[in-house]
């Protein structure tokens, strides 16, 4: 498949003609309105039979010939995919694209908050082949460490097993619609409460047939750093062969006193866990100044730091299925699914601009005299971010969250990846 960025004056008809594909397939793949309205800067995913494109960072000893053999492709295809490259002077650290029949293999995890399982299930059936794990966001904990259920998870567990997706029990220190540092701090500092948490999580896992647990404890007090490490070691011992998946905030250096990232000892967490998911999202955040949600340059900085402490084959990065819409006057923020952001740009007639270093599109629109600024991701963004997984040999990615629509992504995955 190919990405086409709409230019001024183009129509859906002219684009379909140039690629020799039906208009209906472009509309369906990109979930456009049936009238096919498009705007300059819109990234369209065009169905075709092009080879997947792998991405590598040149290492000592690499040559175009060796890379062609490794990826079962031709030297000419590599040269064509990298205009201006000098095949006789490859530079260590240089990034190159490699068209190849060998698809990238990875493990993926999707989060779902099961407010309406019956609504989600038909979509889940469509995308299940693109998921290794489903993390069901249904659990919190008491002041004494006892896990308790917030939302019914039964249907999703049953359907996950039928679809060969591993269901994970996701537990958060989430109370009254926000993360509670005090709650998780009190539980982690008390050995008895920590054991209560482990025992009650295991009871739910065994009773309901989960394949493991996904931990999302946020704003852990930095003073509880070592207690969190101990909890993970004890949790993994109780789980045995079941999965311990741990979500951590993204950082590019260790700042042990920082209230957001200080409690995350990447090396210790990596040693204790089966999978570590670094939340490479919300660089641009609600009520803050308008910024890309997951700029590529920042994600790569986070990956370089994380892989210096965690085995890359245990590491997942996060991809957002949402964008943010800031009211410029006061930074009041709302969220849109990526499809919703695309459709908002189309409905307002806004031109979409693409920031190359961030690999992120943006646009502005007006409601009366009020200006809004939107940052989101499109299929171009995801292409570049998937390349980071390939370049750094990571395990895969997570998606927050699956109820947010981005049809281009699932079409892209079907064409380009093998999900284990």
């Amino acid at each position: 498949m190919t990405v086409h960025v709409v230019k001024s004056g183009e129509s859906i008809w002219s684009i379909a003609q140039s690629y020799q594909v039906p208009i209906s397939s472009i509309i369906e793949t990109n979930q456009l309105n049936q009238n096919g309205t498009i705007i300059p800067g819109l990234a369209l995913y065009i169905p075709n039979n092009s080879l997947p494109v792998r991405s590598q960072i040149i290492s000592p000893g690499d040559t175009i010939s060796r890379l062609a053999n490794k990826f079962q492709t031709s030297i000419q295809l590599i040269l064509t995919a990298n205009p201006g490259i000098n095949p006789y002077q490859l530079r260590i650290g240089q990034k190159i694209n490699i068209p190849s029949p060998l698809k990238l293999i990875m493990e993926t995890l999707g989060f779902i908050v099961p407010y309406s399982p019956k609504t989600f299930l038909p979509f889940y059936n469509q995308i299940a082949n693109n998921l290794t794990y489903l993390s069901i966001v249904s659990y919190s904990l008491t002041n004494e460490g006892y896990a308790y259920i917030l939302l019914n998870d039964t249907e999703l567990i049953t359907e996950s097993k039928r679809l060969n997706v591993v269901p994970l029990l996701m537990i958060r220190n989430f109370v009254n619609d926000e993360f509670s540092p005090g709650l998780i701090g009190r539980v982690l500092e008390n050995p008895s409460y920590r054991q209560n948490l482990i025992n009650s999580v295991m009871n739910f896992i065994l009773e309901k047939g989960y394949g493991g647990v996904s931990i999302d404890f946020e704003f852990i007090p930095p003073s509880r750093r070592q207690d969190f490490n101990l909890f993970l070691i004890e949790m993994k011992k109780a789980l045995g062969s079941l999965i311990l998946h741990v979500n951590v905030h993204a950082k590019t250096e260790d700042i042990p006193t920082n209230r957001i990232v200080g409690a995350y000892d990447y090396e210790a967490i990596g040693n204790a866990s089966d999978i570590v998911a670094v939340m490479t999202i919300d660089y641009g955040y609600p009520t803050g100044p308008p910024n890309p949600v997951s700029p590529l340059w920042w994600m790569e900085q986070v990956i370089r730091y994380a892989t210096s402490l965690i085995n890359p084959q245990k590491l997942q990065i996060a991809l957002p299925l949402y964008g943010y819409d800031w009211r410029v006057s006061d930074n009041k923020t709302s969220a849109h699914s990526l499809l919703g952001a695309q459709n908002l740009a189309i409905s307002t007639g806004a031109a979409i601009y693409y920031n190359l270093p961030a690999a992120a599109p943006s646009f502005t629109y007006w409601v009366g005299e009020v200006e809004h600024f939107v940052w989101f991701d499109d299929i171009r963004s995801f292409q570049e971010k998937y390349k980071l997984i390939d370049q750094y040999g990571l395990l895969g990615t997570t998606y927050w969250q699956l109820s947010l629509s981005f049809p281009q992504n699932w079409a892209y995955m079907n064409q380009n990846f093998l999900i284990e």
Side-chain angles (χ1 to χ4, degrees):
M1 290 189 175
T2 300
V3 173
H4 178 88
V5 180
V6 176
K7 302 178 187 66
S8 182
E10 287 187 317
S11 68
I12 197 74
W13 181 86
S14 67
I15 293 168
Q17 288 293 108
S18 67
Y19 289 98
Q20 293 296 292
V21 298
I23 290 174
S24 59
S25 63
I26 298 177
I27 289 175
E28 181 180 351
T29 301
N30 298 278
Q31 297 232 337
L32 301 171
N33 293 330
Q34 288 304 309
N35 61 14
T37 302
I38 54 177
I39 53 175
L42 177 67
L44 297 174
Y45 197 29
I46 311 297
N48 60 27
N49 295 317
S50 58
L51 283 174
V53 176
R54 304 292 300 275
S55 186
Q56 293 287 287
I57 300 174
I58 297 298
S59 299
D62 282 341
T63 65
I64 294 294
S65 177
R66 287 176 181 171
L67 290 170
N69 287 335
K70 176 181 177 181
F71 288 94
Q72 297 180 18
T73 190
S74 71
I75 292 173
Q76 187 55 53
L77 280 174
I78 296 177
L79 296 177
T80 302
N82 298 274
I85 193 173
N86 185 336
Y88 305 107
Q89 292 184 344
L90 298 181
R91 303 185 312 276
I92 305 302
Q94 181 180 10
K95 295 179 179 180
I96 66 168
N97 297 318
I98 305 173
S100 169
L102 302 180
K103 296 182 177 182
L104 174 63
I105 300 171
M106 62 178 178
E107 293 187 9
T108 63
L109 178 146
F111 299 99
I112 185 65
V113 183
Y115 292 122
S116 180
K118 280 186 166 46
T119 302
F120 173 67
L121 288 176
F123 176 64
Y124 188 23
N125 275 262
Q126 294 173 27
I127 65 164
N129 61 306
N130 294 315
L131 297 172
T132 311
Y133 306 99
L134 183 74
S135 186
I136 303 175
V137 188
S138 289
Y139 291 81
S140 187
L141 61 149
T142 69
N143 287 323
E144 293 77 31
Y146 293 104
Y148 64 90
I149 190 165
L150 292 164
L151 296 166
N152 194 313
D153 54 356
T154 303
E155 287 180 284
L156 290 178
I157 297 169
T158 301
E159 192 68 355
S160 293
K161 292 177 180 177
R162 188 183 74 80
L163 295 169
N164 294 316
V165 178
V166 179
L168 299 181
L169 180 157
M170 186 170 190
I171 185 164
R172 306 187 292 174
N173 55 316
F174 209 63
V175 180
N176 298 325
D177 294 325
E178 63 181 9
F179 288 96
S180 172
L183 169 62
I184 194 59
R186 286 190 297 274
V187 171
L188 289 176
E189 72 179 347
N190 186 308
S192 296
Y193 294 172
R194 285 203 308 268
Q195 195 59 51
N196 289 343
L197 181 54
I198 292 166
N199 291 343
S200 58
V201 166
M202 288 304 303
N203 286 341
F204 277 120
I205 287 174
L206 297 175
E207 173 192 340
K208 291 176 171 284
Y210 274 108
V213 64
S214 181
I215 302 292
D216 184 22
F217 295 156
E218 300 189 25
F219 304 100
I220 301 170
S223 57
R224 302 276 69 81
R225 178 174 168 129
Q226 294 305 320
D227 293 325
F228 185 47
N229 293 341
L230 284 172
F231 165 74
L232 294 178
I233 292 169
E234 294 161 356
M235 186 78 245
K236 179 56 190 172
K237 183 177 179 181
L239 285 163
S241 61
L242 299 177
I243 296 293
L244 175 57
H245 181 271
V246 182
N247 300 276
V248 297
H249 280 289
K251 58 182 177 179
T252 57
E253 61 178 325
D254 195 19
I255 314 173
T257 58
N258 182 275
R259 72 178 190 89
I260 298 174
V261 299
Y264 298 128
D265 180 339
Y266 274 17
E267 185 172 15
I269 293 170
N271 288 336
S273 309
D274 297 298
I275 304 171
V276 181
V278 181
M279 293 184 279
T280 47
I281 52 178
D282 281 12
Y283 178 86
Y285 57 92
T287 73
N291 271 309
V293 178
S294 298
L296 184 74
W297 59 265
W298 172 70
M299 291 180 71
E300 186 161 20
Q301 289 179 4
V302 172
I303 290 168
R304 285 175 177 166
Y305 175 70
T307 53
S308 73
L309 297 167
I310 301 170
N311 179 350
Q313 276 298 297
K314 283 188 171 187
L315 197 65
Q316 292 177 321
I317 55 173
L319 294 179
L321 296 177
Y322 60 89
Y324 286 133
D325 179 338
W326 286 267
R327 189 167 66 187
V328 173
S329 60
D330 58 4
N331 287 340
K332 183 178 180 181
T333 315
S334 58
H336 301 281
S337 71
L338 296 184
L339 178 62
Q342 168 191 289
N343 290 344
L344 178 61
I346 293 171
S347 67
T348 58
I352 296 173
Y353 298 93
Y354 189 73
N355 183 295
L356 199 60
S362 66
F363 62 92
T364 59
Y365 71 98
W366 295 78
V367 179
E369 296 182 354
V370 179
E371 184 181 12
H372 287 248
F373 197 104
V374 178
W375 281 104
F376 68 112
D377 279 57
D378 61 15
I379 194 58
R380 290 173 291 182
S381 311
F382 272 42
Q383 274 187 317
E384 295 306 312
K385 293 169 185 181
Y386 283 130
K387 286 179 183 179
L388 291 175
I389 296 171
D390 207 358
Q391 292 162 3
Y392 288 90
L394 307 183
L395 177 66
T397 187
T398 66
Y399 304 100
W400 183 273
Q401 65 155 322
L402 296 179
S403 63
L404 301 170
S405 185
F406 185 32
Q408 293 170 325
N409 176 61
W410 310 112
Y412 184 83
M413 292 185 72
N414 287 335
Q415 182 75 13
N416 289 277
F417 306 132
L418 291 175
I419 306 303
E420 292 191 328

